[in-house]
Amino acid sequence: MTRTKRGYTARRRRTKVRSFVSSFRGAHSRLTRTISQQEIRALDSAHRDRDRQKRNFRRLWITRINAVIRERGVSYSYSRFIHDLYKRQLFLNRKILAQIAISNKNSIYIISNEIVKKVYWIVKKIEWKKSAGIIINGVPRSSFSGGVE
């Protein structure tokens, strides 16, 4: 049986891997077995840390928004701000809100004040309807069947 020479193929494969780890120090960029181990480790760390980076940035954005919101008053917090945003169907993501909070604090204050006013008036309207007897146990009075009002 004929002999297969694998020198060129193996060298090409090792050269490709070597270019990946060329910036590593010592044996990690010179010895073939160590190079392959370091490549696996580097790719694994990169994969893991991509998710970690997303997590860290989200925490940073939330902290920045909360800091700016709490400057106005202790009673208003990040969680209430986000809740009110969703109630008003203003779907701004946390990255954009954090950029607005850093670059222009007044615009965050304007947004939060408008939201608080709208939510406040909605709550007052519901309370008024409950006290007037228009809403009974969360159901409008007109929806009750039978009997004349």
PDB file of all heavy atoms in Angstrom, residues 10-44:
ATOM      1  N   ALA A  10      -0.977  19.168   7.357  1.00  0.00           N
ATOM      2  CA  ALA A  10      -0.839  19.419   8.791  1.00  0.00           C
ATOM      3  C   ALA A  10      -0.221  20.787   9.035  1.00  0.00           C
ATOM      4  O   ALA A  10      -0.661  21.528   9.926  1.00  0.00           O
ATOM      5  CB  ALA A  10       0.005  18.330   9.430  1.00  0.00           C
ATOM      6  N   ARG A  11       0.788  21.135   8.234  1.00  0.00           N
ATOM      7  CA  ARG A  11       1.443  22.431   8.405  1.00  0.00           C
ATOM      8  C   ARG A  11       0.474  23.577   8.136  1.00  0.00           C
ATOM      9  O   ARG A  11       0.450  24.578   8.845  1.00  0.00           O
ATOM     10  CB  ARG A  11       2.663  22.528   7.485  1.00  0.00           C
ATOM     11  CG  ARG A  11       3.553  23.705   7.796  1.00  0.00           C
ATOM     12  CD  ARG A  11       4.933  23.637   7.167  1.00  0.00           C
ATOM     13  NE  ARG A  11       4.963  23.145   5.785  1.00  0.00           N
ATOM     14  CZ  ARG A  11       5.381  21.906   5.437  1.00  0.00           C
ATOM     15  NH1 ARG A  11       5.795  21.052   6.360  1.00  0.00           N
ATOM     16  NH2 ARG A  11       5.396  21.538   4.180  1.00  0.00           N
ATOM     17  N   ARG A  12      -0.350  23.442   7.120  1.00  0.00           N
ATOM     18  CA  ARG A  12      -1.330  24.478   6.780  1.00  0.00           C
ATOM     19  C   ARG A  12      -2.349  24.645   7.916  1.00  0.00           C
ATOM     20  O   ARG A  12      -2.698  25.760   8.296  1.00  0.00           O
ATOM     21  CB  ARG A  12      -2.044  24.107   5.486  1.00  0.00           C
ATOM     22  CG  ARG A  12      -2.865  25.241   4.920  1.00  0.00           C
ATOM     23  CD  ARG A  12      -3.376  24.913   3.552  1.00  0.00           C
ATOM     24  NE  ARG A  12      -4.122  23.645   3.577  1.00  0.00           N
ATOM     25  CZ  ARG A  12      -4.646  23.054   2.513  1.00  0.00           C
ATOM     26  NH1 ARG A  12      -4.492  23.586   1.324  1.00  0.00           N
ATOM     27  NH2 ARG A  12      -5.311  21.928   2.617  1.00  0.00           N
ATOM     28  N   ARG A  13      -2.799  23.535   8.487  1.00  0.00           N
ATOM     29  CA  ARG A  13      -3.752  23.579   9.595  1.00  0.00           C
ATOM     30  C   ARG A  13      -3.125  24.248  10.818  1.00  0.00           C
ATOM     31  O   ARG A  13      -3.739  25.096  11.465  1.00  0.00           O
ATOM     32  CB  ARG A  13      -4.217  22.166   9.942  1.00  0.00           C
ATOM     33  CG  ARG A  13      -5.207  22.099  11.095  1.00  0.00           C
ATOM     34  CD  ARG A  13      -5.749  20.702  11.290  1.00  0.00           C
ATOM     35  NE  ARG A  13      -4.744  19.659  11.270  1.00  0.00           N
ATOM     36  CZ  ARG A  13      -3.960  19.317  12.287  1.00  0.00           C
ATOM     37  NH1 ARG A  13      -4.046  19.963  13.427  1.00  0.00           N
ATOM     38  NH2 ARG A  13      -3.094  18.338  12.178  1.00  0.00           N
ATOM     39  N   ARG A  14      -1.890  23.879  11.128  1.00  0.00           N
ATOM     40  CA  ARG A  14      -1.225  24.457  12.293  1.00  0.00           C
ATOM     41  C   ARG A  14      -0.936  25.941  12.099  1.00  0.00           C
ATOM     42  O   ARG A  14      -1.015  26.733  13.038  1.00  0.00           O
ATOM     43  CB  ARG A  14       0.080  23.706  12.571  1.00  0.00           C
ATOM     44  CG  ARG A  14      -0.157  22.327  13.105  1.00  0.00           C
ATOM     45  CD  ARG A  14       1.123  21.609  13.436  1.00  0.00           C
ATOM     46  NE  ARG A  14       0.856  20.196  13.662  1.00  0.00           N
ATOM     47  CZ  ARG A  14       1.484  19.199  13.059  1.00  0.00           C
ATOM     48  NH1 ARG A  14       2.450  19.455  12.186  1.00  0.00           N
ATOM     49  NH2 ARG A  14       1.183  17.945  13.318  1.00  0.00           N
ATOM     50  N   THR A  15      -0.604  26.330  10.877  1.00  0.00           N
ATOM     51  CA  THR A  15      -0.333  27.739  10.592  1.00  0.00           C
ATOM     52  C   THR A  15      -1.596  28.573  10.804  1.00  0.00           C
ATOM     53  O   THR A  15      -1.538  29.690  11.339  1.00  0.00           O
ATOM     54  CB  THR A  15       0.164  27.913   9.140  1.00  0.00           C
ATOM     55  OG1 THR A  15       1.284  27.058   8.945  1.00  0.00           O
ATOM     56  CG2 THR A  15       0.571  29.345   8.870  1.00  0.00           C
ATOM     57  N   LYS A  16      -2.737  28.028  10.404  1.00  0.00           N
ATOM     58  CA  LYS A  16      -3.999  28.734  10.576  1.00  0.00           C
ATOM     59  C   LYS A  16      -4.299  28.949  12.059  1.00  0.00           C
ATOM     60  O   LYS A  16      -4.703  30.035  12.478  1.00  0.00           O
ATOM     61  CB  LYS A  16      -5.125  27.935   9.916  1.00  0.00           C
ATOM     62  CG  LYS A  16      -6.414  28.684   9.783  1.00  0.00           C
ATOM     63  CD  LYS A  16      -7.385  28.026   8.816  1.00  0.00           C
ATOM     64  CE  LYS A  16      -7.658  26.578   9.161  1.00  0.00           C
ATOM     65  NZ  LYS A  16      -8.707  25.990   8.295  1.00  0.00           N
ATOM     66  N   VAL A  17      -4.074  27.929  12.868  1.00  0.00           N
ATOM     67  CA  VAL A  17      -4.306  28.032  14.302  1.00  0.00           C
ATOM     68  C   VAL A  17      -3.285  28.979  14.924  1.00  0.00           C
ATOM     69  O   VAL A  17      -3.613  29.766  15.815  1.00  0.00           O
ATOM     70  CB  VAL A  17      -4.249  26.640  14.969  1.00  0.00           C
ATOM     71  CG1 VAL A  17      -4.371  26.751  16.471  1.00  0.00           C
ATOM     72  CG2 VAL A  17      -5.333  25.752  14.425  1.00  0.00           C
ATOM     73  N   ARG A  18      -2.035  28.913  14.431  1.00  0.00           N
ATOM     74  CA  ARG A  18      -0.972  29.770  14.967  1.00  0.00           C
ATOM     75  C   ARG A  18      -1.273  31.245  14.750  1.00  0.00           C
ATOM     76  O   ARG A  18      -0.949  32.087  15.593  1.00  0.00           O
ATOM     77  CB  ARG A  18       0.346  29.414  14.293  1.00  0.00           C
ATOM     78  CG  ARG A  18       1.390  29.155  15.290  1.00  0.00           C
ATOM     79  CD  ARG A  18       2.712  28.760  14.768  1.00  0.00           C
ATOM     80  NE  ARG A  18       3.173  27.685  15.634  1.00  0.00           N
ATOM     81  CZ  ARG A  18       3.498  26.479  15.224  1.00  0.00           C
ATOM     82  NH1 ARG A  18       3.445  26.182  13.965  1.00  0.00           N
ATOM     83  NH2 ARG A  18       3.878  25.582  16.086  1.00  0.00           N
ATOM     84  N   SER A  19      -1.911  31.585  13.646  1.00  0.00           N
ATOM     85  CA  SER A  19      -2.231  32.989  13.389  1.00  0.00           C
ATOM     86  C   SER A  19      -3.275  33.490  14.393  1.00  0.00           C
ATOM     87  O   SER A  19      -3.295  34.667  14.732  1.00  0.00           O
ATOM     88  CB  SER A  19      -2.737  33.172  11.961  1.00  0.00           C
ATOM     89  OG  SER A  19      -3.983  32.531  11.811  1.00  0.00           O
ATOM     90  N   PHE A  20      -4.110  32.594  14.886  1.00  0.00           N
ATOM     91  CA  PHE A  20      -5.126  32.969  15.889  1.00  0.00           C
ATOM     92  C   PHE A  20      -4.493  33.320  17.222  1.00  0.00           C
ATOM     93  O   PHE A  20      -4.906  34.260  17.890  1.00  0.00           O
ATOM     94  CB  PHE A  20      -6.134  31.822  16.055  1.00  0.00           C
ATOM     95  CG  PHE A  20      -7.194  32.085  17.076  1.00  0.00           C
ATOM     96  CD1 PHE A  20      -8.297  32.861  16.774  1.00  0.00           C
ATOM     97  CD2 PHE A  20      -7.093  31.561  18.353  1.00  0.00           C
ATOM     98  CE1 PHE A  20      -9.271  33.108  17.710  1.00  0.00           C
ATOM     99  CE2 PHE A  20      -8.063  31.796  19.304  1.00  0.00           C
ATOM    100  CZ  PHE A  20      -9.162  32.580  18.981  1.00  0.00           C
ATOM    101  N   VAL A  21      -3.439  32.563  17.597  1.00  0.00           N
ATOM    102  CA  VAL A  21      -2.836  32.748  18.919  1.00  0.00           C
ATOM    103  C   VAL A  21      -1.510  33.496  18.840  1.00  0.00           C
ATOM    104  O   VAL A  21      -0.731  33.458  19.791  1.00  0.00           O
ATOM    105  CB  VAL A  21      -2.629  31.391  19.630  1.00  0.00           C
ATOM    106  CG1 VAL A  21      -3.941  30.716  19.897  1.00  0.00           C
ATOM    107  CG2 VAL A  21      -1.696  30.510  18.833  1.00  0.00           C
ATOM    108  N   SER A  22      -1.253  34.207  17.755  1.00  0.00           N
ATOM    109  CA  SER A  22       0.055  34.843  17.572  1.00  0.00           C
ATOM    110  C   SER A  22       0.339  35.909  18.626  1.00  0.00           C
ATOM    111  O   SER A  22       1.491  36.211  18.916  1.00  0.00           O
ATOM    112  CB  SER A  22       0.142  35.468  16.184  1.00  0.00           C
ATOM    113  OG  SER A  22      -0.878  36.448  16.048  1.00  0.00           O
ATOM    114  N   SER A  23      -0.705  36.470  19.225  1.00  0.00           N
ATOM    115  CA  SER A  23      -0.492  37.518  20.227  1.00  0.00           C
ATOM    116  C   SER A  23      -0.306  36.953  21.633  1.00  0.00           C
ATOM    117  O   SER A  23      -0.035  37.712  22.564  1.00  0.00           O
ATOM    118  CB  SER A  23      -1.684  38.475  20.225  1.00  0.00           C
ATOM    119  OG  SER A  23      -2.855  37.760  20.559  1.00  0.00           O
ATOM    120  N   PHE A  24      -0.451  35.642  21.803  1.00  0.00           N
ATOM    121  CA  PHE A  24      -0.291  35.044  23.123  1.00  0.00           C
ATOM    122  C   PHE A  24       1.189  34.996  23.485  1.00  0.00           C
ATOM    123  O   PHE A  24       2.050  35.061  22.618  1.00  0.00           O
ATOM    124  CB  PHE A  24      -0.880  33.634  23.154  1.00  0.00           C
ATOM    125  CG  PHE A  24      -2.373  33.594  23.010  1.00  0.00           C
ATOM    126  CD1 PHE A  24      -3.134  34.737  22.795  1.00  0.00           C
ATOM    127  CD2 PHE A  24      -3.032  32.388  23.075  1.00  0.00           C
ATOM    128  CE1 PHE A  24      -4.500  34.686  22.659  1.00  0.00           C
ATOM    129  CE2 PHE A  24      -4.409  32.325  22.945  1.00  0.00           C
ATOM    130  CZ  PHE A  24      -5.147  33.477  22.736  1.00  0.00           C
ATOM    131  N   ARG A  25       1.484  34.823  24.786  1.00  0.00           N
ATOM    132  CA  ARG A  25       2.862  34.884  25.249  1.00  0.00           C
ATOM    133  C   ARG A  25       3.455  33.495  25.479  1.00  0.00           C
ATOM    134  O   ARG A  25       2.758  32.577  25.868  1.00  0.00           O
ATOM    135  CB  ARG A  25       2.927  35.662  26.558  1.00  0.00           C
ATOM    136  CG  ARG A  25       2.560  37.117  26.382  1.00  0.00           C
ATOM    137  CD  ARG A  25       2.616  37.857  27.668  1.00  0.00           C
ATOM    138  NE  ARG A  25       3.977  37.829  28.200  1.00  0.00           N
ATOM    139  CZ  ARG A  25       4.344  38.403  29.322  1.00  0.00           C
ATOM    140  NH1 ARG A  25       3.450  39.030  30.053  1.00  0.00           N
ATOM    141  NH2 ARG A  25       5.580  38.338  29.733  1.00  0.00           N
ATOM    142  N   GLY A  26       4.747  33.389  25.250  1.00  0.00           N
ATOM    143  CA  GLY A  26       5.497  32.183  25.572  1.00  0.00           C
ATOM    144  C   GLY A  26       5.070  30.971  24.770  1.00  0.00           C
ATOM    145  O   GLY A  26       4.833  31.041  23.573  1.00  0.00           O
ATOM    146  N   ALA A  27       4.964  29.827  25.465  1.00  0.00           N
ATOM    147  CA  ALA A  27       4.643  28.555  24.811  1.00  0.00           C
ATOM    148  C   ALA A  27       3.240  28.569  24.219  1.00  0.00           C
ATOM    149  O   ALA A  27       2.946  27.792  23.313  1.00  0.00           O
ATOM    150  CB  ALA A  27       4.767  27.421  25.817  1.00  0.00           C
ATOM    151  N   HIS A  28       2.376  29.459  24.706  1.00  0.00           N
ATOM    152  CA  HIS A  28       0.993  29.507  24.218  1.00  0.00           C
ATOM    153  C   HIS A  28       0.914  29.951  22.760  1.00  0.00           C
ATOM    154  O   HIS A  28      -0.122  29.783  22.117  1.00  0.00           O
ATOM    155  CB  HIS A  28       0.163  30.464  25.078  1.00  0.00           C
ATOM    156  CG  HIS A  28       0.100  30.051  26.511  1.00  0.00           C
ATOM    157  ND1 HIS A  28      -0.681  29.012  26.949  1.00  0.00           N
ATOM    158  CD2 HIS A  28       0.741  30.521  27.607  1.00  0.00           C
ATOM    159  CE1 HIS A  28      -0.522  28.871  28.266  1.00  0.00           C
ATOM    160  NE2 HIS A  28       0.345  29.766  28.682  1.00  0.00           N
ATOM    161  N   SER A  29       2.011  30.502  22.236  1.00  0.00           N
ATOM    162  CA  SER A  29       2.014  30.876  20.818  1.00  0.00           C
ATOM    163  C   SER A  29       3.017  30.063  20.005  1.00  0.00           C
ATOM    164  O   SER A  29       3.140  30.260  18.804  1.00  0.00           O
ATOM    165  CB  SER A  29       2.357  32.359  20.676  1.00  0.00           C
ATOM    166  OG  SER A  29       3.669  32.593  21.088  1.00  0.00           O
ATOM    167  N   ARG A  30       3.712  29.099  20.679  1.00  0.00           N
ATOM    168  CA  ARG A  30       4.762  28.361  19.968  1.00  0.00           C
ATOM    169  C   ARG A  30       4.524  26.858  19.869  1.00  0.00           C
ATOM    170  O   ARG A  30       4.791  26.268  18.824  1.00  0.00           O
ATOM    171  CB  ARG A  30       6.110  28.598  20.663  1.00  0.00           C
ATOM    172  CG  ARG A  30       6.614  30.005  20.485  1.00  0.00           C
ATOM    173  CD  ARG A  30       8.049  30.135  20.932  1.00  0.00           C
ATOM    174  NE  ARG A  30       8.361  31.543  21.170  1.00  0.00           N
ATOM    175  CZ  ARG A  30       8.366  32.111  22.361  1.00  0.00           C
ATOM    176  NH1 ARG A  30       8.111  31.403  23.435  1.00  0.00           N
ATOM    177  NH2 ARG A  30       8.651  33.374  22.482  1.00  0.00           N
ATOM    178  N   LEU A  31       4.055  26.244  20.944  1.00  0.00           N
ATOM    179  CA  LEU A  31       3.927  24.795  20.956  1.00  0.00           C
ATOM    180  C   LEU A  31       2.537  24.378  20.465  1.00  0.00           C
ATOM    181  O   LEU A  31       1.523  24.911  20.927  1.00  0.00           O
ATOM    182  CB  LEU A  31       4.159  24.254  22.378  1.00  0.00           C
ATOM    183  CG  LEU A  31       5.503  24.627  23.012  1.00  0.00           C
ATOM    184  CD1 LEU A  31       5.584  24.067  24.419  1.00  0.00           C
ATOM    185  CD2 LEU A  31       6.641  24.111  22.171  1.00  0.00           C
ATOM    186  N   THR A  32       2.508  23.416  19.556  1.00  0.00           N
ATOM    187  CA  THR A  32       1.271  23.071  18.866  1.00  0.00           C
ATOM    188  C   THR A  32       0.168  22.607  19.816  1.00  0.00           C
ATOM    189  O   THR A  32      -0.976  23.046  19.708  1.00  0.00           O
ATOM    190  CB  THR A  32       1.553  21.966  17.821  1.00  0.00           C
ATOM    191  OG1 THR A  32       2.601  22.414  16.968  1.00  0.00           O
ATOM    192  CG2 THR A  32       0.330  21.680  17.008  1.00  0.00           C
ATOM    193  N   ARG A  33       0.490  21.721  20.745  1.00  0.00           N
ATOM    194  CA  ARG A  33      -0.541  21.207  21.650  1.00  0.00           C
ATOM    195  C   ARG A  33      -1.080  22.322  22.557  1.00  0.00           C
ATOM    196  O   ARG A  33      -2.275  22.448  22.769  1.00  0.00           O
ATOM    197  CB  ARG A  33       0.022  20.062  22.496  1.00  0.00           C
ATOM    198  CG  ARG A  33      -1.044  19.408  23.356  1.00  0.00           C
ATOM    199  CD  ARG A  33      -0.466  18.286  24.171  1.00  0.00           C
ATOM    200  NE  ARG A  33       0.027  17.207  23.318  1.00  0.00           N
ATOM    201  CZ  ARG A  33       0.754  16.182  23.738  1.00  0.00           C
ATOM    202  NH1 ARG A  33       1.097  16.086  25.000  1.00  0.00           N
ATOM    203  NH2 ARG A  33       1.144  15.240  22.911  1.00  0.00           N
ATOM    204  N   THR A  34      -0.170  23.144  23.061  1.00  0.00           N
ATOM    205  CA  THR A  34      -0.586  24.260  23.921  1.00  0.00           C
ATOM    206  C   THR A  34      -1.408  25.267  23.137  1.00  0.00           C
ATOM    207  O   THR A  34      -2.381  25.835  23.653  1.00  0.00           O
ATOM    208  CB  THR A  34       0.653  24.960  24.516  1.00  0.00           C
ATOM    209  OG1 THR A  34       1.572  23.975  24.958  1.00  0.00           O
ATOM    210  CG2 THR A  34       0.283  25.845  25.661  1.00  0.00           C
ATOM    211  N   ILE A  35      -1.040  25.479  21.868  1.00  0.00           N
ATOM    212  CA  ILE A  35      -1.791  26.404  21.012  1.00  0.00           C
ATOM    213  C   ILE A  35      -3.229  25.947  20.872  1.00  0.00           C
ATOM    214  O   ILE A  35      -4.166  26.741  21.010  1.00  0.00           O
ATOM    215  CB  ILE A  35      -1.111  26.513  19.622  1.00  0.00           C
ATOM    216  CG1 ILE A  35       0.135  27.373  19.724  1.00  0.00           C
ATOM    217  CG2 ILE A  35      -2.057  27.092  18.603  1.00  0.00           C
ATOM    218  CD1 ILE A  35       0.955  27.404  18.463  1.00  0.00           C
ATOM    219  N   SER A  36      -3.423  24.653  20.609  1.00  0.00           N
ATOM    220  CA  SER A  36      -4.793  24.158  20.419  1.00  0.00           C
ATOM    221  C   SER A  36      -5.605  24.269  21.700  1.00  0.00           C
ATOM    222  O   SER A  36      -6.785  24.624  21.673  1.00  0.00           O
ATOM    223  CB  SER A  36      -4.780  22.717  19.916  1.00  0.00           C
ATOM    224  OG  SER A  36      -4.190  21.875  20.871  1.00  0.00           O
ATOM    225  N   GLN A  37      -4.973  24.030  22.850  1.00  0.00           N
ATOM    226  CA  GLN A  37      -5.674  24.173  24.132  1.00  0.00           C
ATOM    227  C   GLN A  37      -6.066  25.621  24.388  1.00  0.00           C
ATOM    228  O   GLN A  37      -7.182  25.911  24.833  1.00  0.00           O
ATOM    229  CB  GLN A  37      -4.779  23.676  25.274  1.00  0.00           C
ATOM    230  CG  GLN A  37      -4.570  22.189  25.275  1.00  0.00           C
ATOM    231  CD  GLN A  37      -3.499  21.772  26.276  1.00  0.00           C
ATOM    232  OE1 GLN A  37      -2.869  22.613  26.923  1.00  0.00           O
ATOM    233  NE2 GLN A  37      -3.287  20.456  26.388  1.00  0.00           N
ATOM    234  N   GLN A  38      -5.150  26.536  24.084  1.00  0.00           N
ATOM    235  CA  GLN A  38      -5.432  27.955  24.319  1.00  0.00           C
ATOM    236  C   GLN A  38      -6.508  28.483  23.372  1.00  0.00           C
ATOM    237  O   GLN A  38      -7.302  29.342  23.742  1.00  0.00           O
ATOM    238  CB  GLN A  38      -4.153  28.787  24.163  1.00  0.00           C
ATOM    239  CG  GLN A  38      -3.170  28.594  25.285  1.00  0.00           C
ATOM    240  CD  GLN A  38      -3.786  28.875  26.637  1.00  0.00           C
ATOM    241  OE1 GLN A  38      -4.324  29.944  26.876  1.00  0.00           O
ATOM    242  NE2 GLN A  38      -3.737  27.901  27.531  1.00  0.00           N
ATOM    243  N   GLU A  39      -6.534  27.953  22.153  1.00  0.00           N
ATOM    244  CA  GLU A  39      -7.574  28.369  21.202  1.00  0.00           C
ATOM    245  C   GLU A  39      -8.954  27.961  21.718  1.00  0.00           C
ATOM    246  O   GLU A  39      -9.897  28.762  21.723  1.00  0.00           O
ATOM    247  CB  GLU A  39      -7.323  27.745  19.832  1.00  0.00           C
ATOM    248  CG  GLU A  39      -8.349  28.192  18.804  1.00  0.00           C
ATOM    249  CD  GLU A  39      -8.279  27.382  17.528  1.00  0.00           C
ATOM    250  OE1 GLU A  39      -7.826  26.222  17.582  1.00  0.00           O
ATOM    251  OE2 GLU A  39      -8.703  27.910  16.499  1.00  0.00           O
ATOM    252  N   ILE A  40      -9.061  26.723  22.187  1.00  0.00           N
ATOM    253  CA  ILE A  40     -10.337  26.240  22.730  1.00  0.00           C
ATOM    254  C   ILE A  40     -10.754  27.096  23.918  1.00  0.00           C
ATOM    255  O   ILE A  40     -11.905  27.526  24.027  1.00  0.00           O
ATOM    256  CB  ILE A  40     -10.218  24.757  23.141  1.00  0.00           C
ATOM    257  CG1 ILE A  40     -10.067  23.880  21.906  1.00  0.00           C
ATOM    258  CG2 ILE A  40     -11.417  24.321  23.970  1.00  0.00           C
ATOM    259  CD1 ILE A  40      -9.639  22.461  22.204  1.00  0.00           C
ATOM    260  N   ARG A  41      -9.802  27.382  24.790  1.00  0.00           N
ATOM    261  CA  ARG A  41     -10.119  28.165  25.985  1.00  0.00           C
ATOM    262  C   ARG A  41     -10.545  29.591  25.629  1.00  0.00           C
ATOM    263  O   ARG A  41     -11.483  30.140  26.212  1.00  0.00           O
ATOM    264  CB  ARG A  41      -8.887  28.196  26.890  1.00  0.00           C
ATOM    265  CG  ARG A  41      -9.149  28.883  28.191  1.00  0.00           C
ATOM    266  CD  ARG A  41      -8.000  28.721  29.123  1.00  0.00           C
ATOM    267  NE  ARG A  41      -8.291  29.406  30.376  1.00  0.00           N
ATOM    268  CZ  ARG A  41      -7.486  29.435  31.395  1.00  0.00           C
ATOM    269  NH1 ARG A  41      -6.342  28.795  31.345  1.00  0.00           N
ATOM    270  NH2 ARG A  41      -7.800  30.074  32.478  1.00  0.00           N
ATOM    271  N   ALA A  42      -9.850  30.200  24.664  1.00  0.00           N
ATOM    272  CA  ALA A  42     -10.162  31.577  24.266  1.00  0.00           C
ATOM    273  C   ALA A  42     -11.550  31.666  23.641  1.00  0.00           C
ATOM    274  O   ALA A  42     -12.326  32.579  23.957  1.00  0.00           O
ATOM    275  CB  ALA A  42      -9.109  32.083  23.281  1.00  0.00           C
ATOM    276  N   LEU A  43     -11.872  30.730  22.772  1.00  0.00           N
ATOM    277  CA  LEU A  43     -13.185  30.755  22.121  1.00  0.00           C
ATOM    278  C   LEU A  43     -14.301  30.498  23.126  1.00  0.00           C
ATOM    279  O   LEU A  43     -15.371  31.106  23.049  1.00  0.00           O
ATOM    280  CB  LEU A  43     -13.231  29.727  20.988  1.00  0.00           C
ATOM    281  CG  LEU A  43     -12.335  30.051  19.787  1.00  0.00           C
ATOM    282  CD1 LEU A  43     -12.336  28.893  18.801  1.00  0.00           C
ATOM    283  CD2 LEU A  43     -12.786  31.322  19.113  1.00  0.00           C
ATOM    284  N   ASP A  44     -14.041  29.616  24.086  1.00  0.00           N
ATOM    285  CA  ASP A  44     -15.024  29.331  25.123  1.00  0.00           C
ATOM    286  C   ASP A  44     -15.280  30.562  25.990  1.00  0.00           C
ATOM    287  O   ASP A  44     -16.421  30.908  26.297  1.00  0.00           O
ATOM    288  CB  ASP A  44     -14.551  28.167  25.991  1.00  0.00           C
ATOM    289  CG  ASP A  44     -15.584  27.741  27.003  1.00  0.00           C
ATOM    290  OD1 ASP A  44     -16.758  27.567  26.610  1.00  0.00           O
ATOM    291  OD2 ASP A  44     -15.235  27.596  28.189  1.00  0.00           O
TER     292      ASP A  44
END
